[in-house]
Amino acid sequence: MADEVQYQLVTFKLGEELYGVDIMDVKEIVKLQEVRLIPNAPFYVEGIINLRGEIIPIIDLHKRFRIQKTVASQDDLQDAGFIILNIQNNKIGIIIDKIARVVTVKGDEVREPPQMVSGIGTEYIEGVVRQDSGYLIMLNSRKLFNAKELQKIVDFQ
């Protein structure tokens, strides 16, 4: 019997939805900190942070996907932060509203995404997993930015 495909995902909330990215693409998760703005950056680039001497561009997926930000309480801000992704050997941070947990998903639980999921184009989505509380949207972090966009983002480092 062949081994069943499994995905290990780091899950997080953006707005009202639960998202996940492949754990192998995640470098680390860091607490929210001040982001320095950079002029003439693409609209979804929030700015840069200095993480232990390394300059990392920070992307706001709310803006990228046109997702409404939820009004955060002080408690919610404790769970907010950045997930530092390794995309084509470039470190890029994404802002998250709340870190959830690492989950294992079996391949046969993953469904094709509907044409539009919460306003996000299907090109960014690996699949959708039905859960008791709704859906887990699996993002393909390698497809979040095309080559031209990725170059623009890393040029700000």
Side-chain angles (χ1 to χ4, degrees):
M1 198 163 103
D3 285 338
E4 186 171 313
V5 176
Q6 289 193 334
Y7 301 95
Q8 283 235 284
L9 304 171
V10 174
T11 61
F12 57 93
K13 294 278 279 213
L14 262 187
E16 297 299 317
E17 300 290 341
L18 184 65
Y19 295 87
V21 290
D22 189 318
I23 198 166
M24 298 307 287
D25 294 337
V26 176
K27 185 81 176 119
E28 64 185 298
I29 299 166
V30 295
K31 286 277 184 208
L32 214 49
Q33 56 185 276
E34 189 177 338
V35 176
R36 294 201 32 223
L37 299 176
I38 40 181
N40 302 319
F43 74 96
Y44 50 83
V45 175
E46 197 66 19
I48 54 174
I49 62 169
N50 183 333
L51 187 62
R52 295 182 296 281
E54 203 170 356
I55 303 300
I56 298 177
I58 299 297
I59 305 303
D60 188 338
L61 290 182
H62 296 93
K63 292 177 183 175
R64 175 80 174 153
F65 295 154
R66 292 172 175 75
I67 297 173
Q68 190 70 36
K69 281 191 182 189
T70 53
V71 178
S73 70
Q74 201 57 41
D75 286 345
D76 292 337
L77 289 176
Q78 295 296 316
D79 295 329
F82 308 118
I83 293 180
I84 309 300
L85 298 172
N86 192 354
I87 302 174
Q88 296 175 17
N89 293 323
N90 296 297
K91 287 184 188 164
I92 295 178
I94 58 173
I95 299 171
I96 56 170
D97 292 335
K98 181 176 181 156
I99 192 67
R101 56 198 173 101
V102 175
V103 298
T104 301
V105 173
K106 292 181 180 141
D108 63 1
E109 295 175 328
V110 178
R111 302 283 172 254
E112 285 289 312
Q115 279 307 311
M116 287 298 275
V117 178
S118 301
I120 300 174
T122 55
E123 67 268 23
Y124 308 121
I125 300 174
E126 193 79 28
V128 177
V129 180
R130 182 186 293 272
Q131 295 189 314
D132 295 338
S133 58
Y135 289 97
L136 165 60
I137 301 167
M138 294 172 55
L139 293 177
N140 183 335
S141 57
R142 292 179 189 96
K143 290 185 179 174
L144 286 178
F145 311 101
N146 64 36
K148 197 173 181 181
E149 289 171 323
L150 193 58
Q151 192 56 54
K152 260 188 183 172
I153 293 166
V154 297
D155 281 349
F156 286 108
Q157 291 177 298

